[in-house]
Amino acid sequence: MCTFDAPIARCETMHQMVLLDETRKECACEHGCPPGQICPLATCFARQSGLYEAHPEIGAHGQPHMRAAVH
């Protein structure tokens, strides 16, 4: 069994729960915030996300890269 205790908070602007262990830019992209949107959680996000650097197989939107099958 694995537990994942990432910090989360509710974004009142987008009415969604968001993970705070990513950068503000990553969150805005993931949740579809328009450019110039004032973020109520702006000071709560990680300054640098280590997720993509530590796991290069994960794409920019948190989805695994699809690799072509080798025959």
Side-chain angles (χ1 to χ4, degrees):
M1 183 172 162
C2 179
T3 58
F4 180 70
D5 293 328
I8 60 172
R10 177 170 170 78
C11 175
E12 294 300 329
T13 301
M14 299 304 285
H15 306 290
Q16 296 178 9
M17 297 301 288
V18 299
L19 293 173
L20 300 175
D21 64 344
E22 60 189 354
T23 65
R24 180 178 171 210
K25 183 177 178 180
E26 289 169 334
C27 183
C29 180
E30 181 180 336
H31 294 279
C33 296
Q37 174 75 46
I38 296 174
C39 179
L41 301 171
T43 61
C44 300
F45 290 103
R47 291 185 181 145
Q48 179 179 1
S49 173
L51 179 64
Y52 304 126
E53 292 81 8
H55 298 280
E57 70 277 7
I58 299 175
H61 297 290
Q63 301 299 321
H65 287 297
M66 301 304 288
R67 294 203 167 104
V70 177
H71 296 281

